[in-house]
Each structure stands twice: as structure tokens, then as C-alpha cells.
Amino acid sequence: MQRHFFRQTLRSQFWKSSDQKRKFFRNSSNAMKVIPIPDNYSYLVIDESTNEAAVVDPVEPEKVLPIVKQHGVNLKHLITTHHHSDHSGGNEKLVSQHPGLTVYGGDNRIPALNYTVKDGEEFKIGNISVKALFTICHTTGSVSFYFNDKDDKAVFTGDTLFIGGCGRFFEGTAAQMHNSLINVLGSLPKDTKVYCGHEYTASNLKFALSIEPENLALKEKFEWVSQHTQTVPSTIGDEFEFNPFMRVNVHSVRKATGEEDP
């Protein structure tokens, strides 16, 4: 009887209303939630501890805004990885339909840009720390955005790092791409989730298999991808296992490209 009374007393103290219950859970942890929105990937990123949200590369606002409404979040930030229209083409429409957004990017060619980030600059999405990492080559203003909270890590790479591949060298050099992949993105914690801009994984891995046909991790990943239409996220650590552009110093890759003798 006393035990029952004790339980009831605790419940009355902590759960006076469903609103308080939701508030308790919301504030008890700093949880980052990432919702991929295909086909050219956009992402809704939610800090569940504050209900504050950002959208990354929202090229199709008509797909993004219903998901924002569905989750009932406070959308305050628009993050753009680079100026190409298949990433930034929805910026002006989204800002017109959702005024007051802070639009981040590293290139003044980005539509509706109102906050130009510097390399290494940090800002907040709710309680999530975000760091701008210049990953130049695909464009001269390409930026990857590294999100970090106490429980999770993610990087949004646009068209720099793909799962199993990398972007085209439209405005940069191979040396710049190498630096972006190996020295910048490759220095992130290995469990950092990788969210890229397009679903190119199957074709990327076919090419990778032509370079390293005996790579077991690569063969297992290719088999997994053959059964999934959405392959994000990967991780930085995984990319070092099967992405040939992250494995340029590995003997089997150097051999396949003629950089080392058999």
C-alpha cells in the first residue's frame, strides 16, 4: 500500500500534465535528429532538446515545408553547401514562404545568402554546435558543415564527399580535393555520419570494385546497397574502408592506378 502511494505521489509530482512530460523528455537530452529528403538530398536537422531546426540544401521547398510542419519544429536556419542550383535553387522560394531564416554559406553566388561563413567558424542550431569546413574543389566556395552534440556527430558534404566517391572538379584541382577529403573531412571522428548531396552510391561502388575487386568491406557494402534505395548515411570511418578517393595511400589502390609496382 505504501509502495503504491509512493508511486502515485511521484507521478503526481512529475507528470502533472502531458505538456510537462514532453518538456521533461525534451530537456533531458541534447538529441540531434536528421531527416533525409530525396531525390537530390535535402536534410531537416532537428535539435530535439530545443525544437529548433535547420534545413540543408532545400532545393525543393514543396517537399521540405510539409515535413517541417509535420514535425512541428521551429525552423530558423537554412544551410547551403555550395551555389549550384541543384542545391541552392530553392533558397529564395523557401525564404519567401518562411521569412526570417538565417541563410548560411561560403559563396556569394548562393541565392538569398545573408550570413557568409568563414573557414572553421562555429555557430549553433539550438544546442547543436555547427562548424563550417571549407572543402574546396567541386566549387571554390564548397563548404561541408560538421554538426556535433553530446550524443551524435554528422557532416553534410554536398558534392564533395559522396558515399564511395567524390564530386567533380568543376572549379578546383586534384590536390585541393585530396586536401578536402583526407586532411579536412578525414580528420573528423571516424563515427561521424556522412550525409551527401546525391544518391550515387551504387555507381560509385561499381567503379570502386574495378579498382579493388578483392576489398571485402567494399563487396559487403555493394551487396547492402543493392538492397536499399536510400544509402545515407555512411561514416567517415567506413569511407576509409571502401571509398577509393579516401584510400589513395593504400597499396591496392596505388597499384591499380600505376603508382606502385605489383
Side-chain angles (χ1 to χ4, degrees):
M1 190 70 175
Q2 288 179 331
R3 186 176 296 174
H4 175 74
F5 178 75
F6 180 67
R7 288 172 180 164
Q8 291 298 105
T9 303
L10 285 177
R11 287 171 183 164
S12 67
Q13 290 291 326
F14 286 99
W15 313 131
K16 291 182 180 179
S17 72
S18 59
D19 288 341
Q20 284 184 328
K21 186 174 181 180
R22 284 192 294 270
K23 184 177 180 181
F24 178 85
F25 281 121
R26 179 178 293 169
N27 293 333
S28 64
S29 66
N30 182 20
M32 176 168 60
K33 183 175 185 178
V34 179
I35 302 170
I37 307 169
D39 292 323
N40 287 349
Y41 280 120
S42 301
Y43 298 95
L44 179 63
V45 186
I46 305 168
D47 171 26
E48 293 191 311
S49 70
T50 63
N51 210 40
E52 191 169 314
V55 63
V56 180
D57 288 348
V59 67
E60 297 179 280
E62 61 276 11
K63 291 184 178 180
V64 172
L65 288 175
I67 294 175
V68 170
K69 183 177 181 180
Q70 174 189 339
H71 288 272
V73 295
N74 180 18
L75 182 62
K76 297 181 66 175
H77 313 270
L78 192 167
I79 294 172
T80 313
T81 59
H82 62 291
H83 77 281
H84 287 165
S85 61
D86 58 341
H87 292 258
S88 68
N91 283 16
E92 290 181 340
K93 184 176 181 180
L94 186 63
V95 169
S96 70
Q97 295 184 20
H98 205 294
L101 294 175
T102 303
V103 182
Y104 300 89
D107 192 322
N108 60 16
R109 293 172 290 182
I110 293 172
L113 182 73
N114 57 33
Y115 192 105
T116 303
V117 296
K118 298 180 176 65
D119 188 23
E121 182 175 358
E122 297 189 31
F123 56 95
K124 291 277 195 177
I125 306 297
N127 290 320
I128 301 170
S129 296
V130 183
K131 188 173 185 178
L133 303 172
F134 274 66
T135 45
I136 292 168
C137 181
H138 183 67
T139 73
T140 56
S142 290
V143 180
S144 296
F145 290 88
Y146 174 57
F147 284 56
N148 184 18
D149 73 3
K150 69 183 184 66
D151 299 316
D152 207 358
K153 297 174 281 292
V155 63
F156 298 86
T157 58
D159 287 357
T160 296
L161 173 62
F162 292 118
I163 301 176
C166 71
R168 294 183 179 182
F169 301 4
F170 282 122
E171 297 179 359
T173 66
Q176 287 175 320
M177 182 61 83
H178 180 268
N179 179 67
S180 294
L181 295 178
I182 306 301
N183 299 328
V184 181
L185 296 174
S187 67
L188 295 175
K190 297 300 184 285
D191 61 343
T192 303
K193 295 182 177 69
V194 175
Y195 292 96
C196 56
H198 301 279
E199 187 54 64
Y200 295 158
T201 308
S203 60
N204 287 344
L205 296 185
K206 285 180 182 178
F207 172 75
L209 282 167
S210 74
I211 302 296
E212 290 189 285
E214 302 305 317
N215 182 328
L216 181 59
L218 173 56
K219 290 193 286 187
E220 290 177 349
K221 184 68 174 181
F222 184 74
E223 177 63 26
W224 181 87
V225 167
S226 68
Q227 302 171 32
H228 295 79
T229 57
Q230 180 175 297
T231 63
V232 292
S234 178
T235 68
I236 292 295
D238 287 345
E239 293 303 309
F240 276 112
E241 294 297 318
F242 55 70
N243 187 329
F245 298 95
M246 301 286 280
R247 293 171 57 78
V248 291
N249 294 321
V250 175
H251 171 72
S252 55
V253 174
R254 294 179 64 84
K255 176 183 172 183
T257 58
E259 292 296 317
E260 286 188 5
D261 294 330

